[in-house]
Amino acid sequence: ETSTEHDNHLLPQNTTAQRERSEKPDPVLSPLPISLRSSHSSKGRIYIVVLTGGPCAGKTSSLTIISDHFQSLGWRVYQVQEAATILLSGGVDVNNINEEQRFVLQRSILWLMLTLEQTYLNIANLSKGNEEKTLVLCDRGVMDAKVYLSTEFWQRILDAAGLSEEEARDLRYDAVVHLVTAAKGAPEFYTRANNTSRSEGPEAAIEIDSRTQEAWAGHPHFHIVDNSTGFKDKIRRALSCICRRVGVEPLTESIRKRKFYCGWNSRGEFNLGHLKTKENVCVYLFLGLTSKDYLELRLRKRIICATKTLTMTVRTRHPKDGSHDYVERRERLNSREYETMKKMRDMNCQKIRVHKESFVYEEQYFELCEYIEPDRLKGLLVLETYSQESRLVNLPKEFD
């Protein structure tokens, strides 16, 4: 499982990821504070979460409620304001600008965003040695810039930063929660009155929302929260996604991983070209349990093109006596931590290798998983998604 090449041959080669890095990075974007992902500690753990979505999706209200909830649990919470709103409300005019000017504007927004995020992270790290857990809530993230740029100009930004798209999307944030615009599913609540910087009509808002989903799809922990419930429950669902990611019991109805059996050696039967799938390979290793409270310890190595993300998942018994549920916490690891933890591998448990294709369908995020190892599971095809227990999942017609 240490050979990236062994896994990469299962994926289409992405020329972007292999692009030769510029010897003279753009000074506006260099150096990027990618150290934002290197904030792991058993004490004072720092989580960085993005709240994104289309216009008038409820991000501002959600940020306040989510912040209040975690502060009530004793967490330290920092809110990173939306960089674009700071500039636009300060007098920056985006009307009647050409493509080159739009590129410069989006590059400036991205620089401001990264600077704000890194500033809050630096402050959070000052108290990293104590027991306090920290949540950095970001109003939008790096990939939101892609929505407003042509493919050519977005690639220019990546080249200037010396990054592939997968690195920009996957290595920076612990979770991404997308709130769907009110224009899609709750049009009577769509308004421009609560944000003076908002100029989009409903149709444009829906288009931006869809492009934002497409930009973030493929992140290891990407969640979409639609308008199928009232606004209060919408916020609670967003909160639940974050709680599950950081190992805190949510207040709302349980959100479960749903798995749908799709057959054996049947990948060729499903034509998913129209769904704009993004592919990766995941390798799972199970560790020996070191506490009676642990139900499961596992490592995950996720590979997409030349980019790896390393994660440890810890499942512990639910604090309520007699409960059949569990609490799950996931922590990002660096390469050294991963290699150290791998020495604890339970050799009685087989390694699992899965090829995954992720896509968005009707505001629902799916992963089609084809098992490669072990041999007894080779060829098994399973469709996975997260949803509320009481909600019916609307599957793409290929899986009806």
Side-chain angles (χ1 to χ4, degrees):
E1 66 274 5
T2 59
S3 172
T4 299
E5 290 76 11
H6 175 76
D7 299 310
N8 279 346
H9 83 278
L10 298 165
L11 300 174
Q13 293 305 301
N14 188 329
T15 55
T16 298
Q18 309 298 330
R19 185 182 295 267
E20 189 173 303
R21 308 306 193 203
S22 171
E23 294 181 0
K24 295 182 179 180
D26 189 320
V28 176
L29 290 177
S30 180
L32 281 180
I34 291 301
S35 59
L36 193 64
R37 71 182 186 272
S38 304
S39 56
H40 321 88
S41 174
S42 58
K43 296 182 178 180
R45 175 70 169 95
I46 300 172
Y47 292 91
I48 306 106
V49 175
V50 170
L51 214 59
T52 187
C56 194
K59 290 195 285 54
T60 302
S61 299
S62 298
L63 283 167
T64 300
I65 293 173
I66 293 169
S67 176
D68 290 346
H69 176 73
F70 277 92
Q71 286 176 338
S72 71
L73 298 177
W75 286 54
R76 183 176 293 277
V77 181
Y78 297 103
Q79 292 189 46
V80 183
Q81 297 183 56
E82 183 180 4
T85 297
I86 293 174
L87 294 181
L88 297 180
S89 62
V92 175
D93 187 4
V94 297
N95 297 313
N96 303 315
I97 60 176
N98 58 37
E99 279 297 304
E100 184 67 30
Q101 291 169 326
R102 185 176 299 278
F103 165 73
V104 174
L105 173 62
Q106 288 299 325
R107 186 177 65 174
S108 300
I109 290 174
L110 184 58
W111 180 88
L112 176 58
M113 177 191 300
L114 300 179
T115 302
L116 288 170
E117 291 177 2
Q118 187 62 43
T119 299
Y120 280 106
L121 181 64
N122 290 343
I123 295 172
N125 273 310
L126 293 177
S127 58
K128 189 176 178 181
N130 61 29
E131 298 287 346
E132 188 175 48
K133 291 187 176 181
T134 302
L135 178 65
V136 179
L137 284 171
C138 303
D139 190 341
R140 298 197 180 281
V142 168
M143 295 303 295
D144 284 87
K146 180 183 179 182
V147 176
Y148 300 93
L149 291 171
S150 66
T151 302
E152 175 190 354
F153 284 122
W154 172 242
Q155 189 59 56
R156 278 178 59 182
I157 284 183
L158 292 176
D159 289 345
L163 289 172
S164 70
E165 181 168 290
E166 293 75 26
E167 289 170 329
R169 183 192 65 214
D170 297 350
L171 298 185
R172 191 168 181 79
Y173 308 104
D174 291 293
V176 179
V177 179
H178 178 104
L179 301 180
V180 175
T181 174
K184 189 170 187 178
E188 64 275 19
F189 296 105
Y190 186 81
T191 178
R192 287 176 280 193
N194 59 351
N195 188 335
T196 57
S197 301
R198 183 180 300 140
S199 59
E200 303 87 358
E203 290 185 1
I206 292 174
E207 173 65 19
I208 291 171
D209 191 282
S210 297
R211 292 178 64 182
T212 305
Q213 290 184 29
E214 183 180 334
W216 283 105
H219 186 279
H221 304 289
F222 178 52
H223 308 277
I224 299 175
V225 181
D226 62 14
N227 295 299
S228 59
T229 63
F231 184 63
K232 183 178 179 180
D233 283 337
K234 180 181 181 180
I235 295 178
R236 290 168 67 90
R237 286 156 53 210
L239 174 60
S240 178
C241 293
I242 298 172
C243 288
R244 187 176 67 249
R245 177 67 182 89
V246 303
V248 172
E249 185 176 1
L251 297 178
T252 189
E253 178 186 1
S254 295
I255 294 179
R256 300 289 187 183
K257 177 181 280 190
R258 303 285 189 86
K259 297 185 179 182
F260 301 89
Y261 170 71
C262 300
W264 290 82
N265 300 311
S266 56
R267 175 61 189 87
E269 299 176 10
F270 302 99
N271 180 14
L272 305 181
H274 64 292
L275 294 173
K276 301 179 181 178
T277 60
K278 300 179 181 179
E279 302 181 44
N280 66 84
V281 169
C282 289
V283 179
Y284 299 90
L285 299 176
F286 295 86
L287 308 182
L289 302 182
T290 57
S291 168
K292 61 181 179 61
D293 293 326
Y294 287 166
L295 298 176
E296 183 178 294
L297 282 172
R298 70 171 183 266
L299 298 179
R300 183 182 77 169
K301 178 169 65 174
R302 183 178 185 268
I303 306 164
I304 178 168
C305 296
T307 304
K308 293 188 298 184
T309 56
L310 308 172
T311 310
M312 180 174 68
T313 299
V314 182
R315 287 185 179 179
T316 56
R317 300 182 188 281
H318 198 282
K320 294 181 180 178
D321 292 336
S323 173
H324 297 289
D325 211 340
Y326 56 84
V327 176
E328 184 173 278
R329 184 180 78 255
R330 299 178 185 177
E331 296 185 6
R332 188 79 63 88
L333 304 177
N334 59 36
S335 296
R336 185 174 61 181
E337 291 168 332
Y338 179 85
E339 292 300 322
T340 299
M341 296 301 298
K342 196 170 69 172
K343 296 175 182 178
M344 298 170 53
R345 179 181 173 185
D346 185 347
M347 301 307 296
N348 292 318
C349 296
Q350 291 180 302
K351 176 178 67 179
I352 296 177
R353 191 187 307 269
V354 186
H355 177 262
K356 297 186 177 184
E357 296 176 80
S358 58
F359 59 89
V360 176
Y361 177 74
E362 294 192 359
E363 324 311 332
Q364 189 81 27
Y365 186 60
F366 293 91
E367 285 189 314
L368 181 61
C369 306
E370 183 177 14
Y371 285 76
I372 303 166
E373 294 183 65
D375 287 341
R376 63 186 178 86
L377 295 178
K378 187 173 183 178
L380 173 64
L381 205 63
V382 177
L383 185 66
E384 298 182 352
T385 189
Y386 282 96
S387 71
Q388 293 170 274
E389 285 185 312
S390 62
R391 182 181 177 186
L392 294 176
V393 177
N394 189 17
L395 300 177
K397 63 179 184 298
E398 289 82 1
F399 300 95
D400 285 347

